[in-house]
Amino acid sequence: MKRLLVLIAIVSVAAFAGCKDSGPTSGANSFVRPSADIVVKSVRIVGAPENSVQFNTIYIVNFTFTNHFGIDFVPKISHFIFEDQDKIRHAGIDSGSTALAGAFSNSIETLPKNESRDYTAAFLVSPNTTGLILYDPT
């Protein structure tokens, strides 16, 4: 039994020795790619909300958005879009589940052109969905 535990430990160490940290896109962050105006800072994955019957997952994404639209405007969370690998678009949310309670403190002030601000948005997606986060002003 003791030899088995030592053997398992050696195999585990050898397996992890070959792994390299891929930087900011490792782990949950690898599910969410940024567009040109967005820098993804972190992604937290939360289980299905109470009212989900499709076993969905919530990605809570903290990111920096830079206003390159040429005008001053107030970004709306629902206009941040997570476009998945199948080109299905998921609008950003900041309420609707107890998992989101207290997770947001987004600014509702005007974001001047060419300036940046941090935001947090949640996206209701299927488990292990990958895609691109972007801002759609329409």
Side-chain angles (χ1 to χ4, degrees):
M1 182 66 167
K2 197 173 193 181
R3 286 184 183 185
L4 179 61
L5 291 175
V6 170
L7 180 59
I8 290 171
I10 291 171
V11 171
S12 297
V13 169
F16 287 121
C19 295
K20 292 183 180 177
D21 183 11
S22 59
T25 60
S26 65
N29 285 15
S30 65
F31 291 115
V32 181
R33 294 183 324 275
S35 63
D37 297 332
I38 294 177
V39 175
V40 175
K41 297 171 80 174
S42 67
V43 178
R44 188 168 56 119
I45 299 173
V46 179
E50 306 79 22
N51 56 357
S52 176
V53 293
Q54 299 173 337
F55 304 106
N56 286 333
T57 301
I58 297 175
Y59 291 171
I60 300 176
V61 184
N62 182 274
F63 55 92
T64 302
F65 171 67
T66 302
N67 176 5
H68 288 132
F69 288 100
I71 61 168
D72 298 351
F73 74 102
V74 178
K76 296 180 181 168
I77 294 302
S78 61
H79 288 255
F80 287 103
I81 304 295
F82 180 79
E83 185 175 89
D84 70 21
Q85 68 272 9
D86 298 322
K87 303 295 183 199
I88 297 170
R89 302 182 91 186
H90 308 269
I93 58 174
D94 59 4
S95 62
S97 172
T98 56
L100 303 179
F104 303 92
S105 60
N106 293 314
S107 174
I108 56 170
E109 294 182 17
T110 299
L111 180 62
K113 62 183 176 182
N114 298 320
E115 291 198 18
S116 301
R117 187 175 295 144
D118 289 344
Y119 292 94
T120 302
F123 302 93
L124 186 61
V125 297
S126 298
N128 300 317
T129 298
T130 61
L132 175 75
I133 186 173
L134 55 99
Y135 190 84
D136 184 352
T138 60

